[in-house]
Amino acid sequence: MKKIGLFIGLMLACAHLQADVAVVNIWSAIPGNSNQLFKNGMEAKAIHETMGASVSIATDQQGDMHYVVSFTDWAAWGRFQDAAATNKAWLSFWQRASDQGTAEISGTYMLNIATVAETKPASVVFSWDVEPAKTQDFVALSLKSKAMHERMGASIGILVDELGDVHYEMTFPSWEAWGKFQSKAESDKEWQAFYADSLEDSIASLIKVWRLSAM
């Protein structure tokens, strides 16, 4: 099984932004430095947005920071990378943050965004390890799932990473709304039948569930 993680993705999450591609960096704070980690994240966000990127920040159930930088296409990401190498404000911040040593990066993920979820405070991202050459089939299944879940009150984003794995994001206006959605899903006959059928000939394995709160 391939090693996968998200923020999502995410975050977050990345599907929150009106973009076609995103890069997610997941940061874990060195004990005692959580507040400084998120302070640094907000400072980095301000700099990156002046450089033309769209940025979102979320925290997961483990307290890690998901830092999502989104672009209209990979060429725009490349231009951003080139500019970062000479941007004085960014280089100064990066040197200072590195000297502080408040966090370690635990993952970086490159994502193509198939569908975009609405921007909401609470998100749940399901990361799926998809069988080789089955990514498009799983995206098709995810689109069917999306229609049912949106009928029940969730907003759905579907993201595909560089390994061909799929991250399925559900956003809600609050965690209470998420709880109500859970109750609906448990009694929804169409969803339960679809889910049971998908398990009979599964082409993916669920390997991570992220609960993300927007910052």
Side-chain angles (χ1 to χ4, degrees), residues 5-192:
L6 186 65
F7 74 52
I8 125 107
L10 19 208
M11 291 46 231
L12 58 310
C14 52
H16 289 169
L17 304 174
Q18 295 296 325
D20 294 320
V21 301
V23 178
V24 180
N25 289 315
I26 303 175
W27 290 89
S28 300
I30 294 172
N33 288 279
S34 292
N35 289 339
Q36 187 62 49
L37 168 61
F38 284 95
K39 181 179 179 181
N40 286 350
M42 292 299 181
E43 187 174 349
K45 178 178 185 290
I47 297 171
H48 283 161
E49 288 179 340
T50 65
M51 296 168 61
S54 296
V55 180
S56 68
I57 297 175
T59 180
D60 66 23
Q61 65 267 38
Q62 297 172 317
D64 291 341
M65 182 177 75
H66 295 237
Y67 189 88
V68 186
V69 188
S70 299
F71 304 92
T72 54
D73 54 39
W74 289 117
W77 171 81
R79 288 191 295 272
F80 174 85
Q81 289 292 101
D82 292 338
T86 57
N87 185 280
K88 291 183 179 179
W90 172 248
L91 293 174
S92 176
F93 163 80
W94 184 249
Q95 183 62 57
R96 176 162 43 84
S98 298
D99 291 342
Q100 290 172 344
T102 58
E104 296 176 340
I105 193 165
S106 57
T108 297
Y109 304 95
M110 315 283 277
L111 299 162
N112 287 295
I113 303 174
T115 67
V116 180
E118 294 178 10
T119 301
K120 296 183 179 181
S123 302
V124 182
V125 179
F126 298 85
S127 291
W128 293 88
D129 183 13
V130 183
E131 292 181 1
K134 294 292 185 178
T135 297
Q136 292 305 313
D137 293 337
F138 194 76
V139 168
L141 287 173
S142 298
L143 288 170
K144 292 180 180 179
S145 177
K146 175 179 183 292
M148 287 177 268
H149 284 160
E150 291 189 336
R151 171 174 54 77
M152 290 184 273
S155 181
I156 303 300
I158 300 170
L159 307 99
V160 182
D161 69 24
E162 57 199 315
L163 298 179
D165 291 320
V166 175
H167 308 276
Y168 187 86
E169 181 187 28
M170 313 172 78
T171 69
F172 304 90
S174 66
W175 288 110
E176 180 183 7
W178 171 83
K180 291 179 179 179
F181 170 87
Q182 291 291 98
S183 298
K184 291 180 181 178
E186 290 173 359
S187 60
D188 190 275
K189 293 182 179 180
E190 182 184 15
W191 163 247
Q192 292 297 330

